[in-house]
Amino acid sequence: MSAVAFQSGGPTVPERQWRWALGLPLLLALAFAANLAAGQEMLTPQQLLHGLLGLGGDAPDARILRELRLPRAIAALAGGAALGLAGLLLQTLFRNPLADAWSLGLMAGGQFGAALVIVAGAVVGPAALAMITGLAGLGIVAGAMLGTLAVALAMAAIARRVQTVTLLVLGLMLGFLAQGLISILLHFTSRTQSRIFASWNDATFAAVVWQDFATLLPPLLVALAATIWLAKPLTALLLGETYARSLGVDVARLRRLVLGAAILLAAPVTAFCGPVAFVGLIVPHLARGLAGTARIGALILPTLALGGLLTLAADLVVHLPWRQHFLHLNAILALIGAPAVIVLLLRARSLGGGAR
């Protein structure tokens, strides 16, 4: 299956680009503001304005905004944009519309690597735990990076030898294997530590605090710069490795660079926010449909915007003032992502003519 979108009748490409260029920033601003306002205590527009401008002083609503909701909203925006871009890179690299950090097992690798760091403190004792806590951001990100890298290298080696469906099944099996290993690791931790990991495993942007951005954002910016630099050779790769080589593209080197960029995008988000599902899978398809093109350079901005918009919207639902129960981020994303995968599978079969 190819990741290239099929164009049909309707608005032309320039018209679509103007529409998303005008509409997405407005939707992003509204979603961001709604995330800042929503919670057990709803904030008025005046309270938001005063808090953002520093006019609220030490009032409770101003502190809630600055210390809790603003870093959460920024993390949701950055995390969704990063995962969406990682999905675009992986779908282009593998030329598979169902490839993303989750389905290919990359997120499971990062999840397991981060789990090793989180659980290590409980195993080696309180003194070491205190030391690890002081280096928590760097340690968890390093663990997630190594775990994601290991799976990425394995999948890259396997991708040339098996069909795309087999590759996806292998990615899912790696996810199940990671879950089994994590369950065994949690057997050696305390109940409190297990609950902490379970909370992280459900995925949330609320755990990110201001000091975490010093570790979270630099890898994302480096990967974004790399994606912009690699946009032209990636577009050539969409038409096949032979065509890309005829244009002078070093395909092996390009593959390594793209995998590296995908790791830099997926691993830090997984480390700080947990294994956020489905974003990288569905956002690239939305971006192609919105922009009306498969060229990577033209898809970067709509992918970033749609990824951030999706996670902001899901996080908004999670933090609405529910009275009895808390909702999990991945539960909301699954309600969007699972039907989208079903539609993709049915559409792919329809495009294939239903051949048996």
Side-chain angles (χ1 to χ4, degrees):
M1 291 183 289
S2 173
V4 180
F6 288 82
Q7 297 187 24
S8 58
T12 62
V13 171
E15 288 174 346
R16 291 179 182 178
Q17 291 176 340
W18 274 109
R19 288 182 181 181
W20 71 254
L22 294 175
L24 278 183
L26 177 60
L27 290 175
L28 273 174
L30 291 174
F32 194 85
N35 268 262
L36 297 181
Q40 293 301 315
E41 181 180 345
M42 301 294 291
L43 301 182
T44 65
Q46 183 179 5
Q47 289 174 317
L48 289 180
L49 185 59
H50 284 181
L52 292 174
L53 296 178
L55 303 177
D58 289 331
D61 58 297
R63 294 187 62 187
I64 289 173
L65 176 64
R66 292 194 304 266
E67 298 175 13
L68 297 178
R69 296 187 186 179
L70 191 55
R72 187 191 79 203
I74 294 174
L77 178 62
L83 293 176
L85 191 59
L88 177 65
L89 290 176
L90 292 172
Q91 288 177 14
T92 303
L93 180 64
F94 291 104
R95 288 191 293 166
N96 188 326
L98 297 180
D100 77 328
W102 181 276
S103 62
L104 287 174
L106 303 186
M107 194 168 287
Q111 184 181 7
F112 179 67
L116 284 176
V117 176
I118 292 174
V119 175
V123 175
V124 299
L129 179 60
M131 180 181 67
I132 292 175
T133 301
L135 300 172
L138 182 60
I140 292 173
V141 169
M145 289 278 190
L146 291 175
T148 307
L149 175 61
V151 175
L153 293 176
M155 298 303 284
I158 296 172
R160 299 174 65 103
R161 304 179 182 179
V162 301
Q163 297 180 351
T164 55
V165 174
T166 304
L167 189 69
L168 293 175
V169 172
L170 287 173
L172 293 174
M173 292 304 103
L174 284 175
F176 289 126
L177 177 61
Q179 292 296 329
L181 292 173
I182 289 170
S183 296
I184 294 174
L185 286 174
L186 293 179
H187 177 73
F188 298 99
T189 63
S190 66
R191 182 175 299 178
T192 300
Q193 198 74 10
S194 296
R195 288 176 179 172
I196 292 173
F197 178 79
S199 176
W200 173 85
N201 196 45
D202 287 328
T204 179
F205 298 110
V208 178
V209 295
W210 285 116
Q211 54 264 36
D212 292 335
F213 288 112
T215 307
L216 173 63
L217 292 181
L220 306 187
L221 296 175
V222 170
L224 174 59
T227 302
I228 295 172
W229 179 50
L230 297 172
K232 287 186 178 180
L234 275 173
T235 300
L237 188 63
L238 285 173
L239 299 177
E241 293 187 5
T242 302
Y243 178 79
R245 288 193 181 96
S246 70
L247 296 179
V249 176
D250 186 340
V251 175
R253 179 172 176 267
L254 177 63
R255 184 180 293 110
R256 291 193 299 269
L257 292 173
V258 171
L259 283 174
I263 292 167
L264 290 175
L265 290 165
V269 178
T270 302
F272 284 106
C273 307
V276 181
F278 288 110
V279 176
L281 177 60
I282 62 178
V283 164
H285 296 282
L286 296 176
R288 293 185 194 99
L290 195 62
T293 180
R295 290 188 300 109
I296 304 304
L299 289 175
I300 293 175
L301 283 179
T303 298
L304 293 172
L306 286 168
L309 183 61
L310 176 60
T311 46
L312 281 171
D315 195 62
L316 174 61
V317 175
V318 169
H319 289 93
L320 289 175
W322 306 106
R323 292 186 176 181
Q324 295 183 351
H325 303 287
F326 291 101
L327 294 175
H328 295 301
L329 180 66
N330 277 342
I332 303 301
L333 291 172
L335 294 178
I336 303 171
V341 173
I342 293 173
V343 170
L344 286 173
L345 290 172
L346 294 177
R347 183 174 180 271
R349 182 171 178 80
S350 175
L351 290 174
R356 298 179 181 177

